[in-house]
Amino acid sequence: MALFVLKFGGTSVKDIERIKNAASKVAAEAKLGHKIAVVVSAMAGVTDKMIEYCNGISPVHDMREHDAVVSTGEQVTAGLMAMALQQRGLNARSWMGWQIPLCTDSNHNKARITDINAASLRDRIEQGEIAVIAGFQGISEDQSITTLGRGGSDTSAVALAAALKADRCDIYTDVDGVYTTDPRITSKAHKLKRISYDEMLELASLGAKVLQTRSVEMAMRHGVSVQVLSTFTNAIGSEYPGTLVTNEETTMEQRTVTGIAYSLNGAKITLIDVADTPGVAAIIFGALARAGINVDMIVQTSSESGTTSITFTVEKNDLDRSLHILESERPKIKYTNLLADKDIAKISLVGLGMKSNPGIAAKMFETMAEKKINIQAIETSEISISVLISEEYTELAVRALHSAYGLDKS
Ligand code: ASP
Ligand code: MG
């Protein structure tokens, strides 16, 4: 018999009815004789509420206590889920991160898992007990509760699947799999049966919200097969109705572009007439890095006149802070003008087939040209191409590209 980790996200445990429904899926797997660990998120909206409470005390607060508060949502659902399983006559108990222990570094609010001592957890699962684990939380070396960043329960689930050497990690969510693009943007998007780790990682980091990026990294590193599936159908994971995220070799479909992601999280900053001398980029990006600001796309224009323009994107949340930093560094950077634009979108094509197929980028630019969409910046990786465009064209661009690359459902 197999060992599965089943993870239920916030919408899947939104209220008592949903928790009971999730418990019925766990029960169905247990009935087939499988050993099971369940990982739960907080009820939808609860984590946001907790963050709001913390900010209500003060927008600037101690992050150790922040995690003590914010991690509680998962404790509630773990207890309720264990009860719901017991109600069905199953042997189940809840586990908080510290009880396992799931050890992390002490980077509160975005802690990384350092070790999972799964010995006692595994023993009890082997004896037939269903382990219901609070996702998102861990414990640091100094015995403080930590949390793994928004969406972190995905990472908890995959990490536990690796530690328990589970046969598969099923992620139950409100969509029934990974789609070629966001089905809310085009009804022609279709569900992928399989997708490689690399493609999923790229899609997740470029804006697809199905899985937390770190969970995909973790799955890839440990070779955990992850399945994304819907809680709102009758199917269960053993029936393979979702999308399987797995090794490249086993993804069968040969395609150049697998999916299209978009992100509206970015804001664009342009520095005009920056001195074109060594060290200037280091001053700009060094100052932003010291403030913990992540920079995404960077474009520098060529310079004949001795000055150049530098354009880059940061997260929208970091825009005001970035502008403030750049203003205070102005004497050193010596630009003439500082521009900011929040209304931008990054549209990305992802596909393993890009490695060996020329012309993918050209087709993307032609498609944008046909729709008269101006490209503000371009970025490529081995298996992706992204363009920065005005936010108002997001849907138009995604739909046009979806058709252009033959992804429309027939
Ligand atoms: N409850 C946490 C969040 O809302 C973790 C998770 O659901 O994955 O981000
Ligand atoms: Mg999630």
Side-chain angles (χ1 to χ4, degrees):
M1 283 300 113
L3 194 162
F4 295 135
V5 172
L6 313 183
K7 185 258 171 178
F8 294 93
T11 49
S12 307
V13 292
K14 190 180 102 177
D15 52 32
I16 297 300
E17 264 333 289
R18 294 258 174 104
I19 292 176
K20 288 182 177 170
N21 173 61
S24 74
K25 293 192 185 299
V26 177
E29 294 287 11
K31 210 171 154 201
L32 295 173
H34 300 307
K35 306 256 183 281
I36 294 164
V38 180
V39 175
V40 287
S41 284
M43 292 161 132
V46 167
T47 308
D48 290 335
K49 190 79 213 165
M50 294 299 146
I51 294 173
E52 206 182 297
Y53 286 151
C54 295
N55 290 333
I57 294 288
S58 163
V60 184
H61 50 256
D62 178 21
M63 293 315 273
R64 179 188 189 273
E65 303 316 329
H66 173 98
D67 279 352
V69 175
V70 167
S71 61
T72 54
E74 273 72 9
Q75 172 157 347
V76 173
T77 30
L80 291 172
M81 175 64 81
M83 280 181 212
L85 292 168
Q86 289 164 2
Q87 212 57 42
R88 295 180 149 266
L90 295 161
N91 182 12
R93 69 162 264 185
S94 64
W95 297 74
M96 300 308 113
W98 63 269
Q99 289 170 316
I100 295 177
L102 186 149
C103 307
T104 72
D105 61 21
S106 48
N107 222 332
H108 285 287
N109 196 33
K110 44 178 177 297
R112 286 192 168 260
I113 300 173
T114 50
D115 186 35
I116 300 179
N117 186 344
S120 33
L121 187 66
R122 190 178 306 118
D123 278 352
R124 301 189 75 139
I125 295 173
E126 291 297 339
Q127 287 162 26
E129 191 174 78
I130 298 176
V132 184
I133 299 147
F136 185 48
Q137 49 167 264
I139 183 161
S140 67
E141 221 167 281
D142 70 356
Q143 305 297 299
S144 301
I145 292 174
T146 53
T147 63
L148 308 178
R150 297 311 303 268
S153 296
D154 291 341
T155 301
S156 306
V158 174
L160 283 156
L164 291 166
K165 301 196 172 40
D167 294 273
R168 206 180 56 231
C169 179
D170 285 343
I171 308 270
Y172 282 93
T173 176
D174 47 2
V175 292
D176 61 350
V178 180
Y179 277 71
T180 47
T181 195
D182 186 343
R184 285 169 303 185
I185 290 211
T186 167
S187 56
K188 292 177 182 150
H190 67 270
K191 191 171 85 186
L192 298 161
K193 286 203 185 87
R194 287 167 174 265
I195 186 167
S196 69
Y197 292 125
D198 292 291
E199 289 169 321
M200 192 63 238
L201 189 59
E202 204 83 5
L203 282 175
S205 61
L206 291 169
K209 292 188 188 70
V210 210
L211 290 173
Q212 196 202 30
T213 308
R214 275 168 61 190
S215 71
V216 187
E217 273 166 12
M218 175 91 67
M220 179 151 86
R221 199 154 359 104
H222 297 280
V224 177
S225 284
V226 173
Q227 178 173 221
V228 178
L229 68 169
S230 166
T231 27
F232 305 125
T233 63
N234 293 325
I236 55 166
S238 298
E239 297 161 353
Y240 272 84
T243 300
L244 198 65
V245 188
T246 184
N247 274 326
E248 187 177 336
E249 297 83 61
T250 56
T251 54
M252 318 255 274
E253 294 161 64
Q254 277 308 314
R255 46 205 177 197
T256 47
V257 173
T258 300
I260 302 175
Y262 67 92
S263 166
L264 305 178
N265 287 340
K268 185 178 78 168
I269 296 176
T270 304
L271 294 161
I272 311 276
D273 289 339
V274 177
D276 191 20
T277 49
V280 175
I283 296 172
I284 299 170
F285 297 111
L288 295 171
R290 277 191 298 281
I293 294 170
N294 265 326
V295 173
D296 190 24
M297 300 170 110
I298 304 178
V299 186
Q300 181 177 336
T301 56
S302 71
S303 66
E304 262 94 60
S305 53
T307 65
T308 170
S309 295
I310 297 181
T311 296
F312 56 91
T313 59
V314 296
E315 277 179 32
K316 271 199 177 90
N317 297 336
D318 287 334
L319 179 62
D320 292 342
R321 244 169 11 110
S322 304
L323 295 175
H324 183 77
I325 291 168
L326 294 167
E327 268 152 25
S328 57
E329 298 288 330
R330 184 169 185 166
K332 282 194 239 158
I333 309 170
K334 297 190 184 66
Y335 53 84
T336 56
N337 218 340
L338 176 61
L339 308 174
D341 184 357
K342 278 188 170 181
D343 302 323
I344 52 153
K346 179 175 171 177
I347 315 286
S348 308
L349 304 178
V350 172
L352 282 179
M354 278 183 205
K355 284 187 194 171
S356 48
N357 282 286
I360 308 269
K363 187 177 199 163
M364 184 181 205
F365 308 149
E366 280 158 22
T367 310
M368 295 293 103
E370 263 165 38
K371 298 289 175 196
K372 308 225 169 349
I373 301 173
N374 186 40
I375 299 173
Q376 306 177 17
I378 301 168
E379 181 186 64
T380 63
S381 84
E382 211 179 5
I383 63 162
S384 72
I385 307 169
S386 305
V387 292
L388 199 67
I389 62 169
S390 169
E391 182 177 344
E392 59 184 311
Y393 300 121
T394 308
E395 301 192 354
L396 179 64
V398 170
R399 289 190 193 125
L401 291 166
H402 201 266
S403 301
Y405 289 93
L407 295 173
D408 287 355
K409 158 167 89 183
S410 43

